[in-house]
Amino acid sequence: MASPKLAPFLVVAALMLRASHAHLSPFFHAKTCPQLPFLVLNVVAQALQTDDRAAAKLIRLHFHDCFVNGCDGSVLLEDVPGVIDSELNGPPNGGIQGLDIVDNIKSAVESACPGVVSCADILAISSQISVFLSGGPIWEVPLGRKDSRIANRTGTSNLPGPSETLVGLKRKFAAQGLDSTDLVALSGAHTFGRARCFFFTGRFDNFNNTGRPDPTLNPVYREQLRRLCTTQQTRVNFDPITPTRFDRAYYTNLINLKGLLQSDQELFSTPRADTTAIVNDFAANELAFFTQFVKSMIKMGNLKPPPGIRSEIRQNCRRVNPVKAYDIM
């Protein structure tokens, strides 16, 4: 019988080596890098030992990658004057973290399986493992993405903002082929992680220039947040109860008017919105949330780059390969 300590490794490996999806496939690296799930799991588990935000950082990178030109690793590219205008400089990516963890995963993977696993695939796998190690569901991750040789800084405007209304959220998700159910499920990733105070302190006193606090923010919770926000850069847990665990608490928080960001609370508090019933369902039934989250993550992870964009398997996730080494898709 397998050791209990090996159980998570075996579960992840088994799921990744099963039958394929249509274009991307969990089986894609089974021959070229069979140890891939173990390599990623080991690095993510180590990161979580010293950084309880590591899981949230990785899934945010994957989300921010896929919403700009599809899931192509472009969010990881750093500035190269005249060549790469980094998406990291786009306002929605301000303060984004976790690139060091991706570097460590890439280093481990390249040492074992050089030149075969893309940075985009690493973001997808590490997101799955992050959720699993935080108490959430496990799923088959379709693999076989390639990395773009370009970034799209202006495309970061496609990312939802912390003060986005439900109308804006729906529009941005619909542009990616994602519906209201996907919106509510994927927003559930805010069940762990933190946000900086300047993203939500505008809800405290003069919300939308009304001279009053946001009426959809619980007054007791508002004062708790006010005390926590000693500076505008202070980071506060999305979930004050189980801040590092992937669970349904995000949705019960919304029902109790404890959504940290306006964009969170909009899902429940917008009058006559179809998202309210979905929030209620997920709050009452964690299995329903987990099941839909998996479906929505796979759907988001299948977002493809526009046709004609040059791609490769990057040697370093922060930089494109030398010109002679790239592989045009």
Side-chain angles (χ1 to χ4, degrees):
M1 183 177 291
S3 162
K5 292 183 178 179
L6 287 177
F9 292 80
L10 298 176
V11 169
V12 173
L15 284 173
M16 288 181 62
L17 299 181
R18 288 176 58 186
S20 67
H21 289 264
H23 300 292
L24 302 175
S25 164
F27 196 71
F28 190 86
H29 295 299
K31 292 184 178 180
T32 57
C33 194
Q35 62 272 59
L36 177 62
F38 302 101
L39 296 168
V40 179
L41 186 59
N42 183 55
V43 176
V44 175
Q46 287 182 4
L48 282 168
Q49 289 179 5
T50 56
D51 180 4
D52 60 9
R53 294 175 53 233
K57 291 175 181 178
L58 290 168
I59 200 168
R60 185 185 182 201
L61 281 169
H62 182 43
F63 182 94
H64 283 223
D65 183 38
C66 292
F67 263 59
V68 182
N69 278 16
C71 308
D72 63 353
S74 60
V75 70
L76 303 170
L77 287 171
E78 295 180 332
D79 263 336
V80 178
V83 180
I84 301 292
D85 188 11
S86 177
E87 293 170 21
L88 296 171
N89 296 330
N93 286 328
I96 200 166
Q97 298 177 320
L99 272 73
D100 55 331
I101 306 172
V102 176
D103 290 342
N104 291 338
I105 297 171
K106 182 64 170 174
S107 178
V109 171
E110 285 296 307
S111 294
C113 320
V116 297
V117 181
S118 68
C119 300
D121 270 355
I122 283 173
L123 290 180
I125 301 167
S126 63
S127 294
Q128 173 225 40
I129 289 172
S130 293
V131 169
F132 178 58
L133 291 180
S134 302
I138 191 72
W139 65 93
E140 295 177 336
V141 181
L143 301 170
R145 300 165 188 80
K146 287 194 174 183
D147 299 319
S148 172
R149 287 183 56 84
I150 63 170
N152 182 4
R153 179 179 177 180
T154 59
T156 61
S157 62
N158 298 331
L159 289 160
S163 301
E164 201 90 50
T165 65
L166 184 59
V167 170
L169 291 169
K170 284 188 169 188
R171 183 179 65 251
K172 289 184 175 181
F173 273 70
Q176 306 295 339
L178 302 170
D179 60 22
S180 293
T181 304
D182 298 314
L183 165 60
V184 178
L186 292 173
S187 296
H190 282 178
T191 190
F192 57 12
R194 298 174 190 157
R196 286 177 291 172
C197 287
F198 72 80
F199 286 127
F200 56 83
T201 50
R203 305 177 69 196
F204 291 175
D205 298 304
N206 187 27
F207 180 64
N208 289 344
N209 296 316
T210 62
R212 297 185 299 274
D214 183 347
T216 68
L217 180 61
N218 181 296
V220 174
Y221 183 49
R222 182 185 70 226
E223 295 311 309
Q224 291 172 346
L225 293 174
R226 196 193 300 274
R227 288 192 294 272
L228 289 171
C229 288
T230 53
T231 74
Q232 288 294 295
Q233 297 298 323
T234 300
R235 294 180 186 268
V236 174
N237 292 323
F238 276 107
D239 175 11
I241 309 301
T242 55
T244 61
R245 186 164 181 81
F246 195 93
D247 56 22
R248 63 188 173 91
Y250 171 77
Y251 302 103
T252 58
N253 289 337
L254 298 186
I255 292 171
N256 293 321
L257 303 187
K258 293 183 178 181
L260 187 63
L261 305 180
Q262 178 187 343
S263 57
D264 293 319
Q265 196 60 50
E266 289 275 329
L267 302 179
F268 180 76
S269 297
T270 302
R272 298 176 297 281
D274 61 343
T275 53
T276 302
I278 304 170
V279 169
N280 282 324
D281 183 29
F282 291 166
N285 187 342
E286 189 164 80
L287 179 59
F289 164 44
F290 283 4
T291 300
Q292 184 57 52
F293 183 80
V294 167
K295 291 178 181 178
S296 297
M297 281 294 288
I298 292 172
K299 189 174 177 181
M300 183 189 76
N302 282 334
L303 293 175
K304 295 177 175 60
I309 292 182
R310 294 173 177 174
S311 62
E312 62 189 4
I313 306 297
R314 272 187 232 133
Q315 299 165 2
N316 181 326
C317 289
R318 303 191 191 212
R319 296 192 294 274
V320 299
N321 295 340
V323 173
K324 64 179 181 180
Y326 70 70
D327 175 24
I328 299 178
M329 182 177 273

